[in-house]
Amino acid sequence: MSKIEDQYRAATAKSAEMAKRSERVMPGGDTRSSAHYRPYSLTVVRGEGPYIYDADGNRYIDLLGNYTSLVHGHAYAPIVAAITQAAKTGTAWPARSEAQVALAELLCDRVGSVERVRFCNSGTEAGMLACHVARRLTGRKLILMARYGYHGSYDDLEAGLAGHDGERTMLADFGEATSFEALLTERGQEIAAVFLEPVMGSAGVVAPPSGFLERVGEAAHRAGALFVLDEVITLRLASGGAQAIFDAKPDLTMMGKIIGGGLPVGAIGGSAEVMRAFDPRARGSIYHSGTFNGNPATCAAGAVSVKELTQEKIDKMDKQAQKLAGELKRAARAHELPFSVRQCGSLMNVFFTSEAPPATINREDARMMADFHLAALSHGLFIAPRGLLALSTVITDEIVTEVAERAAKAMADVAAGGA
Ligand SMILES: Cc1ncc(COP(=O)(O)O)c(C=O)c1O
């Protein structure tokens, strides 16, 4: 056992106990693949502002925010008030609520290409719905997406992570417009939609080269396919989402995470014309239902989350992220570790290689990354096992400094060998 693992185990005995108990009832003791890591994941008992606390009473600065969704941290008072009110007045009913309309209005106001919204309960469902609409409108089956792209756990969209074509999915290379254009020229007649994350998340926070999204969107339209932008993560990057930053014009936008204020959520939006596919008054419309679609608790929390994510707060997080990226690089240099970081707005991904790799999920630095992740936890930093970090609006400049200091200690552990 390595010193890093020893240190982790020594501080997290109660989490270890709970991990053992969970293995008896959940495969591998977990219910979320991305949150799993060795030797066992933490059991968290409480979140408060920028912090979370584990079962052993350890405090962590939360730099992940439930994989980018808690953009205002944990138990944000205005969101707690909205959820409490919803709990008192009923959390779900099969009818419209004011909160639902208000959240839809906010999204239509903020996101340029969105005129109508349909709610669901996860980003995964938003992806399924987008496939459904595209297939219905085009009468075609195939989906084209980026290699190592991630749009949720729907099997037609999982080919991205696998890195090779699926039965109904083809892959091209993110950032290389010609690879998408070639497939759309050759097989365009069979392609229902092209899916892209404007900035790849799972593949390591990869921003698009200039003109890439525009070219792919145009090629999709020339082929008669829909252009779907997955803004499940990137809606936090600007009031109007990443499509406002990169000037992209999707037919459909997938949304999730921050629009639920911490509760389960998903949505797709698009022009009134495209979204008419869902209009129950129209003959042959898509039958899309869901017991918890647009429930008042999620929508009330989501409306607060979106409304309070002002451009000013976004700019503050961007500056903090830039500063933190610089500090992390300095710390790695001081400990003579190979290191790189890719940062886009309040998102970043760290790598223990001297150059950031291209979009991938197969990491050359897997061992060192795993060591750093565990060491970072032991020094009070909660990040994703793959090195993803996402800031929240409740992280102060002082906390950023503290994060840099703690990360430097974790790097010292990694440099000391870990083994
Ligand atoms: C870009 C992107 N799309 C879709 C999803 C799926 O969303 P959910 O986990 O809510 O199903 C995720 C989740 O991380 C994501 O990062």
Side-chain angles (χ1 to χ4, degrees), residues 146-147 172-177 179-180 196-200 206-209 212-213 359:
R147 198 177 315 282
D173 294 306
F174 190 85
E176 291 177 27
S179 70
F180 282 86
L196 278 181
E197 298 164 84
V199 176
M200 294 184 95
V206 187
F212 170 69
L213 298 176

Side-chain angles (χ1 to χ4, degrees), residues 125-304:
E125 274 182 64
M128 292 165 65
L129 282 174
C131 288
H132 197 140
V133 180
R135 287 171 171 152
R136 178 69 69 94
L137 292 183
T138 61
R140 304 169 180 175
K141 276 212 178 66
L142 290 181
I143 302 295
L144 174 59
M145 63 180 285
R147 198 177 315 282
Y148 305 121
Y150 183 64
H151 303 292
S153 316
Y154 173 41
D155 57 1
D156 275 0
L157 294 172
E158 276 190 322
L161 286 192
H164 50 75
D165 291 358
E167 218 175 289
R168 304 208 290 175
T169 322
M170 289 194 305
L171 304 181
D173 294 306
F174 190 85
E176 291 177 27
T178 47
S179 70
F180 282 86
E181 288 164 343
L183 281 169
L184 283 159
T185 303
E186 274 166 40
R187 310 271 308 264
Q189 294 300 311
E190 301 163 77
I191 297 173
V194 181
F195 278 64
L196 278 181
E197 298 164 84
V199 176
M200 294 184 95
S202 298
V205 184
V206 187
S210 158
F212 170 69
L213 298 176
E214 200 179 0
R215 271 178 68 182
V216 175
E218 282 171 6
H221 289 154
R222 273 198 303 279
L226 266 66
F227 181 41
V228 181
L229 216 51
D230 180 347
E231 295 246 35
V232 168
I233 286 188
T234 53
L235 217 55
R236 61 159 46 228
L237 295 179
S239 292
Q243 55 195 264
I245 301 174
F246 299 109
D247 201 21
K249 294 178 184 62
D251 301 297
L252 285 172
T253 298
M254 291 164 58
M255 295 171 276
K257 304 222 192 235
I258 67 160
I259 71 161
L263 296 184
V265 76
I268 66 167
S271 67
E273 195 191 333
V274 171
M275 293 295 287
R276 229 171 70 80
F278 289 110
D279 186 338
R281 297 166 303 186
R283 193 193 286 260
S285 63
I286 291 173
Y287 186 81
H288 160 237
S289 202
T291 304
F292 295 102
N293 286 358
N295 70 78
T298 290
C299 290
V304 175

Side-chain angles (χ1 to χ4, degrees), residues 254-374:
M254 291 164 58
M255 295 171 276
K257 304 222 192 235
I258 67 160
I259 71 161
L263 296 184
V265 76
I268 66 167
S271 67
E273 195 191 333
V274 171
M275 293 295 287
R276 229 171 70 80
F278 289 110
D279 186 338
R281 297 166 303 186
R283 193 193 286 260
S285 63
I286 291 173
Y287 186 81
H288 160 237
S289 202
T291 304
F292 295 102
N293 286 358
N295 70 78
T298 290
C299 290
V304 175
S305 168
V306 173
K307 211 182 299 173
E308 296 229 358
L309 186 61
T310 58
Q311 193 59 48
E312 197 183 349
K313 289 184 183 175
I314 293 171
D315 292 342
K316 183 190 125 210
M317 287 192 290
D318 292 1
K319 281 206 192 85
Q320 289 177 327
Q322 272 170 32
K323 178 163 185 275
L324 181 57
E327 299 280 338
L328 294 175
K329 277 189 217 158
R330 244 190 306 284
R333 257 198 313 275
H335 291 101
E336 295 180 1
L337 290 172
F339 184 79
S340 49
V341 53
R342 251 194 316 249
Q343 177 247 331
C344 184
S346 54
L347 303 168
M348 70 178 87
N349 210 107
V350 299
F351 306 92
F352 288 87
T353 45
S354 49
E355 300 276 328
T360 188
I361 55 158
N362 304 315
R363 298 269 295 265
E364 227 177 80
D365 61 340
R367 175 69 203 272
M368 216 182 259
M369 185 64 242
D371 280 350
F372 177 71
H373 170 245
L374 221 52

